[in-house]
Amino acid sequence: MNSRQAAMLATGVARRGAALKLAVPASLLFFAFLIGLGIVGGISGASQASAASCGGAGLPDAQYESDDQDNGGSKDSTDGLHAQQIDNAKTIDNVAIKGGLPGRATLVALMTALQESTLINLDHGPGDSVGLFQQKPQYGWGTKEQIMKPAYAAKMFFFGADSGSPRGLTDVKGWESMPLEKAAEAVQHSEQGELYAGQESEARRIAKEAGINLNRSGKANTQPSGTPSDAASAPSGAPSGAPTERCENEGDQQDTPAKPGTAFHDSQADWPPQVKNRRSTAEAVAWARKQAETGTTGWYRKCLRFVGLAYGWNSTEVYAVDQYYVAPASMRHNRDRNPPLGALLYWRTDSRAGHVAIYVGNGEIASNDIREPGKISIVPASDIESKWGATYLGWAPPYFPTSG
C-alpha cells in the first residue's frame, strides 16, 4: 500500500456501506456501527449503509484529477489505485471463468466489491472485516491471510465454504435471473441492496477497461433462457419504485445548457417559506468552509450527508440526485448557473448516485473528493464538469423535507 493510499484509507474513506458478512442464525441480531459512515448492521450481519452515501460521485471511484496549481504543485490524484482496481477485477473474473461461471457472476462480484471496498484489497474494516468483499474470519470466510488474497476471496464469494456455511453466490437459488443487487445482497446480507445496484455502471465501466466479457455464457451455470443478456440490459441500479435515471420533462427544460466548464455567478434569492432548516444559510456556509479550512476527513463519497449536515440534517435520501427531485419543480432551477449563497448544486454522473455540493459564493462550492478523497475543498463550481465530466442539473434551495 503506497503512502497516498494509506493516507486515504486511514480516514476510512474507502469504506462505504459495507455489508458485514455473518453466518449466524437469522434470529440473532448483530449491530455494528461504523462512526463517520453511519453504517448499521442488521439481521445476519446485514449492514445498512448511510443513506447519505454519495455512491459514485464523479467518474472513477478512486481516481481523481490532479490540480498542479494547488498544494505547491503537488498532485491530488490517487495514483495507482485505479490500476489496483483493474487488477482486482481481472482476478475476480479469472476465478469466475475457472469456476465455469457466466459474465453475470463477475458483474455481481464487481458491484459488490466496489460497494464494500472500492475494489481495493483493504487490510482493515469494521471488526475483523478485510479484503475486497470485507469478509470476516470469525464467521467462516477463512483466515485474514487467506481473505487478503483476492483470488481466495473471490472464490469464497462465488462458491462459499465447502460446508455450505457461509454460502456463496452459486448457493443462492435462482441467482442467475434475479436482479443483480438482490444476488449480491443474498451473499452479503445487506439491508440496502439498492446500494449495490448503484455500482452497476461503474462495474461495467471497469470491466470494459479490463477487457472482461460480462456477456459470456458459463459452463457450470449458464444464463437461463429468456433472460436478457447483460450487454443489452439497462443498469438495474434504482431503488424499488424509482427510475434508474432521472429524466427531464418538457417543463424542466428551462434554458439551453451552457458549455461545460462555464463559470458560475452569484444571484440573490429568498428561500420559499417551506424551506426551514436547523441552521441558517450563513451558518451552513460557514460550517462548510470550516470543514475545508481544517482539513476534516471522512467525507469520501458522502456528498449528500455533507450538505445535509451543513444545514443540521441527516438526509434520508439514498442518492444525491434523488434529493434534487425531492424539491417541487418550482424550486428546481435547471441548468441555471446563477445560484444564491447556500444553494445546493446538483450534477448527474456516470453512476446512479450523482453529486451535490453547497454554493459558497464567488462562483465556488464546498465539495468533497474533488481535490483529495475524503476531504472538503473550496473549488470553482465548474470543476465538477471539467474534472469529473459530470452533467450539471441545476440548483435548488436547501430543502430537506424527509430529513430529521
Side-chain angles (χ1 to χ4, degrees):
M1 180 181 295
N2 58 39
S3 60
R4 189 184 304 277
Q5 180 182 350
M8 181 182 81
L9 300 185
T11 65
V13 297
R15 174 94 182 140
R16 62 182 189 276
L20 309 183
K21 291 280 304 240
L22 304 181
V24 295
S27 60
L28 178 62
L29 297 180
F30 180 89
F31 288 90
F33 181 73
L34 179 58
I35 297 176
L37 292 186
I39 299 171
V40 182
I43 297 176
S44 298
S47 72
Q48 182 171 333
S50 168
S53 171
C54 195
L59 283 176
D61 284 341
Q63 183 181 29
Y64 293 81
E65 297 288 341
S66 62
D67 188 342
D68 294 333
Q69 296 179 349
D70 295 282
N71 301 323
S74 63
K75 292 185 177 181
D76 294 321
S77 61
T78 52
D79 299 328
L81 289 179
H82 188 55
Q84 293 180 43
Q85 288 181 310
I86 298 299
D87 287 343
N88 290 330
K90 290 179 178 179
T91 297
I92 289 171
D93 189 51
N94 286 336
V95 172
I97 291 173
K98 290 180 180 179
L101 300 179
R104 186 179 183 85
T106 295
L107 179 57
V108 172
L110 292 180
M111 290 167 58
T112 304
L114 280 166
Q115 180 63 34
E116 296 290 350
S117 67
T118 67
L119 201 52
I120 299 297
N121 196 28
L122 302 183
D123 61 2
H124 65 278
D128 61 345
S129 300
V130 293
L132 294 174
F133 301 95
Q134 290 290 281
Q135 294 156 331
K136 298 175 74 69
Q138 64 175 309
Y139 292 106
W141 293 97
T143 65
K144 178 178 180 179
E145 291 72 21
Q146 288 175 317
I147 297 172
M148 284 300 297
K149 297 177 181 178
Y152 173 88
K155 183 178 179 181
M156 289 296 291
F157 177 83
F158 288 130
F159 302 105
D162 292 339
S163 64
S165 179
R167 67 177 187 171
L169 181 65
T170 55
D171 296 317
V172 177
K173 185 177 180 180
W175 72 268
E176 302 97 330
S177 58
M178 67 175 55
L180 299 167
E181 69 274 15
K182 296 294 185 182
E185 183 179 10
V187 178
Q188 299 296 104
H189 299 290
S190 169
E191 290 182 342
Q192 285 193 316
E194 69 270 16
L195 296 183
Y196 293 118
Q199 301 302 329
E200 184 178 352
S201 294
E202 178 70 0
R204 290 180 181 278
R205 188 186 68 79
I206 287 178
K208 182 177 180 180
E209 188 173 347
I212 294 172
N213 179 14
L214 296 178
N215 196 40
R216 71 165 187 276
S217 298
K219 296 179 180 178
N221 298 76
T222 57
Q223 189 167 309
S225 60
T227 302
S229 68
D230 288 319
S233 61
S236 60
S240 177
T244 299
E245 294 184 0
R246 296 285 190 171
C247 298
E248 293 180 340
N249 57 42
E250 187 174 349
D252 288 330
Q253 299 174 359
Q254 296 175 348
D255 301 297
T256 301
K259 180 180 179 181
T262 300
F264 287 69
H265 302 281
D266 297 359
S267 70
Q268 298 293 326
D270 294 327
W271 305 143
Q274 60 266 50
V275 176
K276 298 178 181 180
N277 294 304
R278 292 175 174 175
R279 283 186 175 141
S280 68
T281 297
E283 290 172 335
V285 171
W287 182 87
R289 284 188 174 276
K290 190 70 172 180
Q291 302 305 303
E293 292 169 2
T294 59
T296 303
T297 58
W299 295 110
Y300 183 61
R301 300 173 64 88
K302 296 173 70 178
C303 60
L304 184 53
R305 179 171 174 78
F306 171 68
V307 300
L309 288 177
Y311 280 96
W313 303 107
N314 282 315
S315 176
T316 57
E317 299 302 317
V318 174
Y319 297 118
V321 72
D322 290 341
Q323 187 69 38
Y324 185 53
Y325 292 96
V326 163
S330 60
M331 290 189 192
R332 299 197 301 268
H333 299 263
N334 298 292
R335 306 190 182 108
D336 185 358
R337 291 175 182 261
N338 301 285
L341 186 71
L344 302 186
L345 277 58
Y346 295 85
W347 291 263
R348 178 178 289 116
T349 67
D350 70 342
S351 84
R352 170 70 173 84
H355 187 64
V356 61
I358 185 170
Y359 189 69
V360 297
N362 298 318
E364 295 183 320
I365 55 172
S367 174
N368 61 310
D369 299 338
I370 185 65
R371 283 185 175 161
E372 186 173 352
K375 290 187 177 182
I376 304 300
S377 299
I378 305 299
V379 298
S382 56
D383 275 11
I384 305 299
E385 294 168 306
S386 60
K387 291 179 178 286
W388 283 351
T391 300
Y392 177 58
L393 292 176
W395 67 266
Y399 182 56
F400 299 92
T402 60
S403 299

